[in-house]
Amino acid sequence: MKAVFIERHGGPEELKYGDVPDPVAKRGEVVVDIHAASVNGADWKVRTGESYPQTRFPYVLGRDFSGIVSAVGEGVSDFCVGDPVFAVCDVGQEGAYAEKIAIKASIVARKPASLSHVDAAALALAGLTALVAVEDTLKLEAGETILIKGGAGGVASFAIQLAKHIGARVITTASAANHDYLRGLGADRIIDYNAQDFTTAVSGCDAVFDTVGGDVSQRSFAVLKPGGRAAFIASGAQAPKPSRGDVRSLRPNVARDRPHLDRIVALLAAGTIRPPEVKLFQLSEAAAAHKLSQSRHFRGKLVFKVR
């Protein structure tokens, strides 16, 4: 099968497009013919070796996808060949930048006919991460105010819609070019990070959800009211230590499971969430996709159309 892989860590030029062996379903697994796979910020960090450095090459990247079940392993009774599905690879597994993947059936969800493969791939890890961060970790409640940083990204755009559904007041940060897009998602207030420091523009928040990382993470604590909490997904495996003692710093545990993916489907069916804007690439264009992803100057999600 065709796949995108690395043979050593490095820049986008290290991404190779070529043939690798077809996967085989072990007990409890299904093989999925991938139709679409998304690009995540974590992917280029793996490519560079910044996170999860590899020792075995070639290594196929990619964490979430949508496709059709093409083989069923022993002990799997809840899927049949031909079923449309989407999923996020288990922690420690990658391989979605490919035409096929073998994955545990227990963490795969059914894709409804109303959801395209491209949108399902775009929503899988982004939606899972937003749900775990906003509902499970921050436990956001109606009437609270949340600052969601990096609003135009895939995770944040899902989180904005989810927070509005919960009944919270949503403040977000984005460049001016993305303000109309974010108003359409329901954001109550948008701060142009190129023109204003969010720490001087915002105060008294109940919660912060930081999807950006870097130096802005530590400054997140300044906008929280006493007793507030902040969740971080771009600051490494551990949440940053708070600069004050009256707030909580949290790192969401984005475990893979079917119920969260089913909740994404339910939110979509109810009209609560809409898929993000998508920019499509072919698998052979992986280097260009990574360059754009690493620039962080894009809206929505980057997705490979595999089939």
Side-chain angles (χ1 to χ4, degrees), residues 37 58 76 103 174 216-217 234 289 299:
V76 176
I103 186 171
V216 301
S217 296
R299 185 158 68 199

Side-chain angles (χ1 to χ4, degrees), residues 102-212:
I103 186 171
K104 287 194 308 189
S106 61
I107 60 173
V108 173
R110 294 185 182 276
K111 183 192 75 66
S114 59
L115 183 64
S116 72
H117 286 295
V118 167
D119 285 341
L123 284 166
L125 183 55
L128 173 64
T129 303
L131 284 168
V132 171
V134 174
E135 290 191 333
D136 302 349
T137 305
L138 289 171
K139 302 184 187 301
L140 190 67
E141 297 180 356
E144 292 191 314
T145 295
I146 183 171
L147 169 64
I148 299 173
K149 288 185 291 179
V155 175
S157 62
F158 191 106
I160 288 168
Q161 296 173 85
L162 180 62
K164 289 302 297 180
H165 171 65
I166 290 170
R169 177 172 179 260
V170 178
I171 305 170
T172 191
T173 60
S175 63
N178 290 318
H179 286 201
D180 286 344
Y181 173 66
L182 296 176
R183 288 190 192 96
L185 297 181
D188 296 292
R189 183 183 175 194
I190 308 164
I191 299 166
D192 181 356
Y193 58 76
N194 291 312
Q196 196 169 18
D197 183 341
F198 73 91
T199 62
T200 61
V202 181
S203 63
C205 291
D206 299 281
V208 170
F209 181 27
D210 177 36
T211 71
V212 177

Side-chain angles (χ1 to χ4, degrees), residues 7-303:
E7 295 177 311
R8 62 182 181 181
H9 293 296
E13 70 278 0
E14 297 298 339
L15 293 165
K16 311 298 182 185
Y17 176 70
D19 293 302
V20 300
D22 286 5
V24 176
K26 299 176 183 176
R27 181 176 181 82
E29 292 184 338
V30 293
V31 171
V32 178
D33 286 353
I34 295 176
H35 284 237
S38 88
V39 179
N40 296 287
D43 299 348
W44 59 260
K45 293 179 182 179
V46 172
R47 187 203 73 226
T48 63
E50 180 179 333
S51 62
Y52 303 105
Q54 300 301 314
T55 57
R56 294 185 180 182
F57 299 101
Y59 185 78
V60 180
L61 300 171
R63 298 189 177 191
D64 53 345
F65 62 91
S66 181
I68 304 291
V69 174
S70 60
V72 177
E74 184 181 352
V76 176
S77 59
D78 43 356
F79 291 109
C80 299
V81 172
D83 285 343
V85 297
F86 73 116
V88 181
C89 293
D90 207 359
V91 176
Q93 178 194 8
E94 295 186 78
Y97 288 12
E99 292 179 327
K100 295 175 178 285
I101 192 170
I103 186 171
K104 287 194 308 189
S106 61
I107 60 173
V108 173
R110 294 185 182 276
K111 183 192 75 66
S114 59
L115 183 64
S116 72
H117 286 295
V118 167
D119 285 341
L123 284 166
L125 183 55
L128 173 64
T129 303
L131 284 168
V132 171
V134 174
E135 290 191 333
D136 302 349
T137 305
L138 289 171
K139 302 184 187 301
L140 190 67
E141 297 180 356
E144 292 191 314
T145 295
I146 183 171
L147 169 64
I148 299 173
K149 288 185 291 179
V155 175
S157 62
F158 191 106
I160 288 168
Q161 296 173 85
L162 180 62
K164 289 302 297 180
H165 171 65
I166 290 170
R169 177 172 179 260
V170 178
I171 305 170
T172 191
T173 60
S175 63
N178 290 318
H179 286 201
D180 286 344
Y181 173 66
L182 296 176
R183 288 190 192 96
L185 297 181
D188 296 292
R189 183 183 175 194
I190 308 164
I191 299 166
D192 181 356
Y193 58 76
N194 291 312
Q196 196 169 18
D197 183 341
F198 73 91
T199 62
T200 61
V202 181
S203 63
C205 291
D206 299 281
V208 170
F209 181 27
D210 177 36
T211 71
V212 177
D215 67 315
V216 301
S217 296
Q218 189 61 43
R219 294 193 285 131
S220 300
F221 303 114
V223 306
L224 289 171
K225 71 180 186 182
R229 64 271 189 211
F232 302 87
I233 61 167
S235 300
Q238 302 294 325
K241 186 176 180 180
S243 54
R244 44 190 282 206
D246 59 349
V247 297
R248 287 181 290 155
S249 182
L250 307 165
R251 178 63 167 90
N253 177 24
V254 189
R256 284 38 166 165
D257 61 42
R258 186 181 298 165
H260 280 94
L261 299 181
D262 287 341
R263 176 146 173 74
I264 293 172
V265 171
L267 288 167
L268 280 163
T272 301
I273 300 293
R274 75 180 196 222
E277 281 193 18
V278 169
K279 182 174 178 59
L280 287 174
F281 293 85
Q282 300 298 313
L283 266 183
S284 57
E285 299 173 313
H290 269 227
K291 287 177 182 177
L292 182 55
S293 176
Q294 198 164 351
S295 77
R296 302 188 183 188
H297 293 298
F298 64 95
R299 185 158 68 199
K301 287 287 293 184
L302 312 179
V303 176

